[in-house]
């Protein structure tokens, strides 16, 4: 992305962090182009600096503001992100402190702030000498926005602190092995032969967890579809759908296609799978993922909430609605969510989720099953959506999830981030009951 790359690696990281915080762009939007062409070690450092600075932004920024006696000049606003990066390295990495400070000062010069190099040097040296002061609020202690801490503590009074701590840990790399190529034993053996140590998953039958993350190029047979990268919580949808040969299946918000692929691997004899997404550009990601595993689906670019624009009138036996959500269950994988998400987003997202659920329900066959999923841990997007929907639909029957994972909410099961190494996820199963068809 223009304006991000160029200059030293630290300057690039500073620009990226600044764009996330002040321009509302996600790391997923900015980082890929910045990583292109970099050696592997520099790619790793740039990713760590950007992810780590976003992960600890709220706590580091609180410290920074204590040390700044007056606001930075607007023309040198990027120094805020440079100082956050420097503090991140002092507090959370093994880089030699003198190197972190010296390179931060040099980067300030590179960014055109020659007259402020003394300020950068002084703040970082004082931070190193004094150490970090005791955080005064839970939001600062756990490095989360205050509104999110409040919501999580209200939703999960006995778990919120553990959830915040889990959000600050790096997520493990989980795989799904393709049963057309491997069983569990052969999958583990293939990884071991490639020098990769892994353990069987705790929840999903075809899940493996690598002891250490690695580039996908190191995973044997990845390009041929033998393995896919997918968190264990996301893999559970195939069990809940209860797929069978001959069914017509809708993946209503399909991009980037991980769950579509899991559906097709789980039951290759489906009559049809329709993969729907409102973003035409993202359909290309679905195509790439499906081609890699040797599977195909009918791809449609349309809003799932407007069936008149895309539905042919033939009902679906199974629907997966992985609804757009706050992403509060995957913050450990996307720490920039802490900086990008706003409290006002949650009500808007809840309205969208209910609208999509209402629309998809129209396309479900009598006796069919819809699985509602989010990667959120907020009840406003999860159990309360299902409660609101059922209260307005006599033909909707909630199907209890009897599998041994998550917390029963009364309207579906909630997986808590990191409790069994998986992401935070919510699932509910609904069946269209012919006895109450209206």
């Amino acid at each position: 992305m223009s304006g991000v790359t160029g200059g030293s690696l630290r300057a690039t990281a500073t620009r990226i962090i600044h764009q996330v915080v002040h321009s509302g762009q996600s790391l997923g939007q900015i980082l890929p182009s910045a990583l292109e062409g970099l050696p592997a070690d520099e790619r790793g450092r740039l990713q760590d600096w950007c992810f780590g600075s976003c992960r600890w932004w709220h706590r580091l920024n609180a410290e920074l503001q204590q040390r700044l006696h007056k606001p930075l000049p607007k023309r040198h606003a990027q120094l805020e992100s440079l100082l956050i990066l420097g503090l991140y390295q002092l507090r959370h990495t093994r880089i030699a402190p003198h190197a972190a400070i010296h390179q931060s000062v040099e980067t300030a010069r590179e960014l055109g702030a020659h007259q402020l190099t003394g300020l950068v040097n002084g703040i970082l040296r004082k931070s190193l000498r004094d150490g970090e002061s005791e955080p005064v609020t839970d939001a600062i202690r756990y490095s989360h926005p205050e509104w999110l801490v409040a919501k999580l503590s209200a939703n999960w009074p006995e778990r919120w602190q553990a959830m915040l701590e889990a959000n600050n840990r790096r997520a493990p790399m989980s795989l799904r092995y393709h049963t057309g190529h491997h069983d569990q034993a052969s999958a583990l053996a293939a990884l071991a032969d490639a020098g990769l140590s892994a353990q069987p998953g705790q929840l999903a039958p075809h899940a493996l967890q690598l002891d250490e993350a690695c580039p996908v190029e190191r995973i044997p047979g990845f390009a041929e579809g033998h393995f896919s990268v997918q968190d264990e919580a996301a893999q559970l949808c195939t069990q809940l759908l209860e797929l069978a040969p001959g069914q017509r299946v809708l993946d209503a918000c399909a991009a980037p296609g991980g769950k579509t692929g899991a559906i097709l691997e789980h039951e290759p004899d489906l009559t049809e799978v329709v993969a729907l997404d409102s973003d035409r550009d993202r359909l290309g990601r679905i195509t790439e993922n499906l081609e890699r595993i040797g599977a195909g689906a009918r791809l449609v670019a349309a809003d799932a909430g407007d069936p008149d624009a895309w539905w042919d009138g033939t009902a679906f036996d199974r629907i997966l609605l992985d609804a757009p959500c706050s992403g509060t269950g995957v913050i450990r994988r996307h720490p920039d969510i802490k900086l990008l998400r706003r409290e006002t987003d949650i009500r808007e997202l809840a309205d969208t989720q209910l609208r999509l659920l209402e629309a998809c329900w129209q396309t479900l066959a009598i006796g069919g099953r819809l699985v509602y999923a989010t990667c959120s841990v907020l009840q406003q997007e999860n159990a309360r959506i299902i409660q609101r929907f059922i209260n307005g639909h006599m033909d909707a029957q909630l199907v209890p999830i009897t599998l041994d994972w998550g917390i029963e909410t009364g309207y579906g099961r909630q997986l808590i981030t990191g409790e069994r190494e998986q992401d935070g996820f919510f699932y509910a199963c609904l069946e269209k009951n012919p006895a109450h068809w209206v």
Side-chain angles (χ1 to χ4, degrees):
M1 182 169 292
S2 62
V4 172
T5 55
S8 70
L9 198 69
R10 187 179 296 265
T12 298
T14 297
R15 296 186 186 105
I16 291 173
I17 296 162
H18 184 78
Q19 287 196 19
V20 171
V21 177
H22 296 286
S23 299
Q25 298 185 62
S26 71
L27 290 176
Q29 292 173 302
I30 310 171
L31 256 181
S33 60
L35 294 171
E36 286 181 7
L38 291 178
D41 62 330
E42 291 192 5
R43 286 200 305 271
R45 273 186 285 160
L46 182 59
Q47 286 179 301
D48 175 68
W49 292 353
C50 293
F51 275 72
S53 296
C54 289
R55 182 175 291 117
W56 293 104
W57 174 274
H58 291 85
R59 182 160 175 162
L60 298 174
N61 190 47
E63 177 180 356
L64 175 59
Q65 298 311 315
Q66 288 178 341
R67 300 187 184 283
L68 278 174
H69 299 301
K70 59 181 180 179
L72 292 165
K74 287 187 178 180
R75 67 182 183 278
H76 296 308
Q78 287 186 349
L79 288 190
E80 175 193 59
S81 296
L82 175 63
L83 285 162
I84 292 291
L85 173 57
L87 288 171
Y88 167 68
Q89 292 179 328
L90 292 178
R91 301 286 182 239
H92 298 283
T93 73
R94 295 180 179 178
I95 187 171
H98 70 275
I101 296 170
H102 172 72
Q103 290 167 17
S104 295
V105 170
E106 292 304 307
T107 305
R109 289 196 178 94
E110 183 180 344
L111 294 173
H114 300 77
Q115 70 273 35
L116 295 177
T117 55
L119 175 69
V120 171
N121 182 67
I123 286 176
L124 294 179
R125 286 192 179 279
K126 196 170 190 303
S127 296
L128 177 63
R129 183 184 70 241
D130 296 348
E132 191 175 12
S133 59
E134 180 66 21
V136 295
T137 68
D138 288 326
I140 294 173
R141 176 175 292 104
Y142 295 108
S143 197
H144 280 67
E146 289 185 4
W147 70 265
L148 184 53
V149 174
K151 275 192 178 293
L152 290 177
S153 60
N155 281 194
W156 307 104
E158 297 180 358
R159 290 181 166 86
W160 65 274
Q161 291 167 306
M163 294 169 78
L164 295 173
E165 289 173 352
N167 286 346
N168 289 332
R169 293 195 291 268
R170 297 184 185 186
M173 186 172 182
S174 298
L175 306 178
R176 182 187 78 243
Y177 64 84
H178 193 322
T179 55
H181 300 284
H182 287 296
D183 58 20
Q184 186 182 91
S186 69
L188 288 168
L191 293 171
D193 288 344
L196 300 174
S197 179
Q199 311 300 323
Q202 300 182 51
L203 305 174
H206 305 141
L208 303 174
Q209 188 176 116
L210 294 178
D211 291 350
E212 292 186 12
C214 71
V216 294
E217 292 81 10
R218 288 193 58 199
I219 300 172
F222 181 83
E224 294 77 28
H226 296 194
F227 296 92
S228 295
V229 178
Q230 188 177 41
D231 186 78
E232 206 169 346
Q235 297 182 37
L236 297 170
C237 65
T238 54
Q239 293 173 280
L240 299 179
L241 284 166
E242 293 192 351
L243 299 166
Q247 291 174 340
R248 188 171 193 247
V249 179
L250 170 66
D251 187 353
C253 301
K259 296 182 185 68
T260 313
I263 288 168
L264 288 160
E265 287 179 9
H266 189 85
E267 181 47 75
D269 294 323
L270 298 168
T271 294
E272 184 181 37
V273 174
V274 177
L276 187 70
D277 202 88
S278 59
D279 187 341
R280 183 175 294 277
D281 292 339
R282 283 164 57 88
L283 292 181
R285 292 282 309 281
I286 302 176
T287 300
E288 292 172 7
N289 280 321
L290 295 186
E291 287 180 347
R292 187 180 58 80
I293 66 172
R298 183 161 70 88
L299 273 56
V300 179
D303 178 4
D306 183 16
D308 290 342
W310 60 267
W311 185 39
D312 61 8
T314 302
F316 294 97
D317 303 294
R318 296 288 186 268
I319 296 176
L320 173 63
L321 174 55
D322 185 8
C325 71
S326 62
T328 46
V330 292
I331 287 175
R332 59 185 189 162
R333 297 189 189 277
H334 305 282
D336 49 338
I337 288 173
K338 297 181 186 180
L339 297 161
L340 300 174
R341 189 65 65 209
R342 299 290 181 264
E343 184 174 10
T344 53
D345 296 340
I346 308 304
R347 176 174 288 185
E348 295 175 8
L349 285 164
D351 290 342
T352 297
Q353 291 151 1
L354 188 59
R355 178 179 67 87
L356 293 173
L357 185 50
E358 296 271 3
C360 289
W361 192 253
Q362 300 174 36
T363 72
L364 183 65
I366 298 174
R369 173 176 289 203
L370 183 150
V371 172
Y372 175 86
T374 75
C375 55
S376 169
V377 292
L378 300 180
Q379 295 176 21
Q380 190 174 349
E381 299 179 89
N382 297 334
R384 292 178 196 166
I385 294 294
I386 302 304
Q387 182 182 26
R388 290 167 65 187
F389 181 77
I390 288 178
N391 288 343
H393 287 266
M394 293 294 291
D395 57 340
Q397 179 181 351
L398 183 67
V399 179
I401 299 174
T402 58
L403 297 169
D404 182 26
W405 47 256
I407 300 167
E408 176 56 53
T409 67
Y411 293 95
R413 294 190 78 86
Q414 179 73 59
L415 290 148
I416 300 298
T417 309
E419 280 203 344
R420 290 168 74 175
E421 298 302 323
Q422 86 298 310
D423 287 341
F425 240 81
F426 176 82
Y427 283 108
C429 294
L430 299 168
E431 289 186 354
K432 187 171 279 189
N433 189 340
H436 295 102
W437 179 252
V438 292

